[in-house]
Amino acid sequence: MPPLHPMLPEPTADQCAHSERLCALVAQQIDAAGGWIPFDRYMQLVLYAPGLGYYVAGATKLGDASTGGDFVTAPEISPLFAQALATQVAQVFEQTPAHIVEFGAGSGRLARDLLHALQKRGTPCERYAIVEVSAELQQRQRVVLANRPVEWLTAPPTGFRGVMLANEVLDVMPVRLFIKRDRDVLERGVGHGRSGIRYVDRMAAQDLSVAVSEIEAEAGELPDGYASEVGFEARAWMRSTADWLAQGMLLVIDYGFPRREYYLAQRLMGTLMCHYRQHAHADPFWLPGLNDLTAHVDFSAMAEAAQEAGLQVLGYTSQAHFLLNCGLLDRLQEDHTPMRSSAAHRLISEAEMGELFKVLAVGRNIAAMPVGFAHGDRSARL
Ligand SMILES: C[S@@+](CC[C@H](N)C(=O)[O-])C[C@H]1O[C@@H](n2cnc3c(N)ncnc32)[C@H](O)[C@@H]1O
């Protein structure tokens, strides 16, 4: 068993055995690839390897410490999040069919609360579809959403008209890592040896060096020893959304920054982060399969990918601005309890989710200025 981090709750023997099986699979894949795999392959395996990966096996994942969860997302904090989001969704529904596709629906709470909020405001959703890569989470969603008009798709729809949602989905898409050494760009991948699974650096492949040159052209030269990540998979996903969305809006909500802030020289170790029972740590090789692995989102890259593929940027702002623009405080006033008030604080406070989390809206064939970006739109910073 790997050494325990003294601050982290101890896993059970079964959990350790599960993680060891995943490590064996990773080692096998590294050997099959000649001794080295890029970090995105590693991240793919530890999060999504069938039957073993964090998102597809039995880990509790979402929820607070009392439920054994590793992290809490906005929809898990309070229905207030969905109630505010409903304002933006209802505005799009004025111009499109009342259809929603949600990517990566987690526990299913956002779907449940959004359907309820839209019904309550008199703008009911007629079709709600979920695209979920995890069969295990899909099963949980089916329980939470029993008797509601929700369907699960095996692939994103094409020619879709309506609203697409992705809350905290892009941050769990595998990333490639790089490190600057003596002005060279090295790719930080994964190998294994007697000390277990570990980082192994080699000269970066062409696509990664080009991506780093583009970052440096905008953010300035990165210092020696600077390590960070590039989200090629998230970029490809954003490009694909243009094939799926014929009319309407895609709302991407996640933690991240525009490129110039993301690749600040002071952010020397990038944003790769692991989550285990409400603790954040930076060791992706500690108990793989029991930890969530995430990286922040480069929102400039997301906006560019969407635009290159033919979508328009409709707005970009902080979660706090978006939720306030969407009437979060009015929703709070309608039912003001200490619990809802404290949830509103978590959602919009700068010290909590309000500023780190951003909302990017892209779309096509939508006329009105989106209500969620009426004040504090930061599209020009992307
Ligand atoms: C951090 S959880 C967020 C869950 C939920 N959206 C929330 O906010 O509570 C990430 C979710 O995205 C799913 N996921 C990851 N990659 C995906 C993809 N390419 N398409 C659809 N779902 C994906 C995961 O299985 C999981 O449900």
Side-chain angles (χ1 to χ4, degrees), residues 67-369:
T67 65
D70 299 305
F71 58 90
V72 177
T73 60
E76 302 290 318
I77 290 176
S78 166
L80 264 173
F81 180 74
Q83 289 161 9
L85 187 59
T87 305
Q88 179 60 78
V89 172
Q91 189 198 28
V92 179
F93 282 177
E94 289 166 14
Q95 298 176 63
T96 68
H99 296 172
I100 295 176
V101 171
E102 184 185 354
F103 294 90
S107 70
R109 278 200 197 189
L110 178 59
R112 183 195 66 188
D113 295 339
L114 190 54
L115 281 165
H116 182 70
L118 287 164
Q119 183 79 38
K120 199 170 159 211
R121 344 169 11 112
T123 51
C125 174
E126 287 155 14
R127 283 185 66 188
Y128 199 110
I130 292 176
V131 178
E132 173 56 70
V133 290
S134 162
E136 194 243 335
L137 280 175
Q138 201 182 112
Q139 212 37 53
R140 289 197 214 171
Q141 292 156 15
R142 285 182 192 275
V143 174
V144 170
L145 296 166
N147 306 320
R148 289 187 172 81
V150 177
E151 58 183 319
W152 281 262
L153 306 178
T154 49
T158 48
F160 177 77
R161 296 171 66 218
V163 177
M164 290 181 150
L165 299 171
N167 187 63
E168 287 206 45
V169 177
L170 294 187
D171 69 271
V172 292
M173 292 193 181
V175 291
R176 304 252 301 273
L177 305 185
F178 69 88
I179 181 160
K180 289 285 302 286
R181 284 268 180 252
D182 301 327
R183 310 194 102 178
D184 284 331
V185 180
L186 304 187
E187 174 152 8
R188 177 150 274 197
V190 181
H192 76 102
R194 254 180 294 162
S195 59
I197 299 170
R198 61 192 166 84
Y199 283 131
V200 177
D201 300 338
R202 52 162 66 172
M203 282 309 282
Q206 169 90 0
D207 58 347
L208 187 61
S209 353
V210 169
V212 175
S213 312
E214 285 168 3
I215 289 165
E216 292 193 305
E218 204 176 317
E221 189 176 345
L222 300 169
D224 193 43
Y226 189 94
S228 193
E229 56 284 320
V230 176
F232 286 107
E233 189 164 326
R235 293 176 186 200
W237 187 87
M238 282 301 287
R239 275 193 295 276
S240 304
T241 61
D243 298 333
W244 308 330
L245 187 64
Q247 190 211 356
M249 179 186 285
L250 162 69
L251 282 162
V252 169
I253 308 167
D254 225 309
Y255 35 92
F257 319 100
R259 185 174 295 129
R260 266 182 297 250
E261 289 171 43
Y262 194 116
Y263 297 101
L264 279 181
Q266 302 90 302
R267 209 184 302 286
L268 272 178
M269 297 310 293
T271 71
L272 188 72
M273 195 52 68
C274 315
H275 298 273
Y276 177 74
R277 310 266 193 93
Q278 318 298 322
H279 295 262
H281 67 95
D283 182 357
F285 306 125
W286 187 71
L287 291 172
L290 305 186
N291 285 263
D292 191 16
L293 251 66
T294 77
H296 286 39
V297 174
D298 171 354
F299 278 102
S300 303
M302 298 306 109
E304 281 163 15
Q307 281 172 319
E308 280 159 21
L311 297 179
Q312 194 190 342
V313 171
L314 302 170
Y316 170 70
T317 192
S318 65
Q319 176 168 297
H321 271 116
F322 178 79
L323 294 177
L324 291 170
N325 287 335
C326 287
L328 181 97
L329 296 181
D330 297 334
R331 302 289 83 77
L332 179 61
Q333 286 311 323
E334 284 166 10
D335 178 14
H336 199 291
T337 63
M339 211 167 150
R340 275 168 69 84
S341 176
S342 128
H345 179 79
R346 283 180 77 182
L347 293 171
I348 61 176
S349 156
E350 272 193 21
E352 303 232 14
M353 299 179 83
E355 180 54 35
L356 179 60
F357 281 71
K358 311 292 190 314
V359 185
L360 171 68
V362 297
R364 59 159 54 113
N365 300 327
I366 284 288
M369 169 72 187

